[in-house]
Amino acid sequence: MANRSGTAQRPNGQSQGKICQFKLVLLGESAVGKSSLVLRFVKGQFHEYQESTIGAAFLTQTICLDDTTVKFEIWDTAGQERYHSLAPMYYRGAQAAIVVYDITNQDTFGRAKTWVKELQRQASPNIVIALAGNKQDLANKRMVEYEEAQTYAEENGLLFMETSAKTAMNVNDIFLAIAKKLPKNEQNTGQGGSVQGRRLTEGNTEPKTGANCCK
Ligand SMILES: Nc1nc2c(ncn2[C@@H]2O[C@H](COP(=O)(O)OP(=O)(O)OP(=O)(O)O)[C@@H](O)[C@H]2O)c(=O)[nH]1
Ligand SMILES: [Mg+2]
């Protein structure tokens, strides 16, 4: 139940804290592991033979952050070039983006930089962007140095982590870091479809309980 100030309350009147909803989009070259990262985050699973995404996939996951429940509405886009023109539909109005590259493939890092530029030019001005160097479990085949990506991320104001959807390394952490960076104050939690996160109202406030959510 949400009261007038948007603070969720239990029937006994105890405050559960704020509930915020954010649109997050994943972008990056095909086969870098976007769907695998989402599958790991949302379902705790990994598939060696993950199918290439057609168009885009939509999933949600909820995490708890101090007194705030953060619900991510996740758009996992298709990395194949023929779907590029669809991307603005998914990043438009997004409050957060994860741009993914594969640390074993230098070209995918170049493609990630192009996505970052496109987001900086065309997405919401306050969008929180995270850069994920995925397949960290294959560090013995590394083609992109950690320091190179970290420097690039610092220069562009991006969150940065190397991740592995396979081992789960830093997967929850990158979503958590984004959740922490997103604005959650009263001013920034307007109603549906606003540029910033929106507060849930009665009827859709119940967060999913799971590994990433408090009960
Ligand atoms: N070793 C390893 N393999 C991974 C990792 N993440 C994904 N993969 C594998 O990489 C392949 C591509 O992963 P996807 O998640 O389908 O990649 P995608 O970025 O969603 O690709 P598109 O949907 O075509 O854009 C699959 O065979 C995955 O099993 C990882 O962290 N480590
Ligand atoms: Mg995919």
Side-chain angles (χ1 to χ4, degrees):
M1 188 186 278
N3 65 16
R4 285 185 109 195
S5 69
T7 306
Q9 290 205 330
R10 294 195 172 107
N12 64 7
Q14 280 178 347
S15 176
Q16 258 182 284
K18 285 181 285 191
I19 301 168
C20 296
Q21 189 165 298
F22 295 101
K23 178 178 173 185
L24 180 148
V25 64
L26 282 101
L27 297 163
E29 183 72 82
S30 182
V32 294
K34 299 180 296 299
S35 301
S36 300
L37 287 169
V38 176
L39 188 69
R40 173 61 78 188
F41 176 57
V42 173
K43 297 188 179 161
Q45 297 173 357
F46 175 76
H47 299 157
E48 286 286 347
Y49 301 101
Q50 178 68 38
E51 281 182 19
S52 187
T53 306
I54 296 167
F58 178 74
L59 295 97
T60 65
Q61 179 59 297
T62 302
I63 57 175
C64 287
L65 199 65
D66 304 323
D67 67 337
T68 306
T69 301
V70 174
K71 181 179 179 188
F72 283 115
E73 298 178 326
I74 304 167
W75 286 100
D76 168 25
T77 65
Q80 290 177 42
E81 191 50 39
R82 61 192 154 123
Y83 296 113
H84 184 177
S85 61
L86 299 180
M89 258 174 23
Y90 301 107
Y91 65 66
R92 195 174 299 133
Q95 289 92 24
I98 304 181
V99 177
V100 186
Y101 69 94
D102 170 353
I103 67 158
T104 72
N105 183 330
Q106 183 75 41
D107 287 350
T108 67
F109 184 52
R111 186 73 189 89
K113 289 179 177 175
T114 311
W115 277 120
V116 169
K117 270 194 209 126
E118 182 166 338
L119 288 172
Q120 287 170 338
R121 270 201 307 264
Q122 297 186 57
S124 307
N126 298 325
I127 189 168
V128 172
I129 306 175
L131 180 68
N134 193 40
K135 308 197 185 181
Q136 199 280 339
D137 56 291
L138 301 178
N140 56 339
K141 296 184 191 156
R142 173 189 293 282
M143 297 300 284
V144 183
E145 290 307 322
Y146 182 92
E147 291 73 21
E148 181 187 359
Q150 191 181 39
T151 304
Y152 167 76
E154 273 170 19
E155 285 169 359
N156 286 274
L158 318 176
L159 290 166
F160 170 61
M161 285 186 199
E162 286 194 346
T163 58
S164 170
K166 186 167 181 171
T167 67
M169 189 191 108
N170 278 345
V171 177
N172 287 351
D173 307 64
I174 199 162
F175 283 91
L176 195 62
I178 291 168
K180 283 186 181 160
K181 209 174 165 186
L182 284 163
K184 289 170 255 8
N185 56 20
E186 192 66 43
Q187 261 184 335
N188 289 333
T189 50
Q191 285 304 303
S194 70
V195 176
Q196 300 295 333
R198 56 188 195 270
R199 189 74 55 81
L200 296 178
T201 51
E202 194 171 1
N204 60 351
T205 55
E206 277 304 304
K208 238 182 355 168
T209 52
N212 298 304
C213 182
C214 53
K215 302 205 171 102

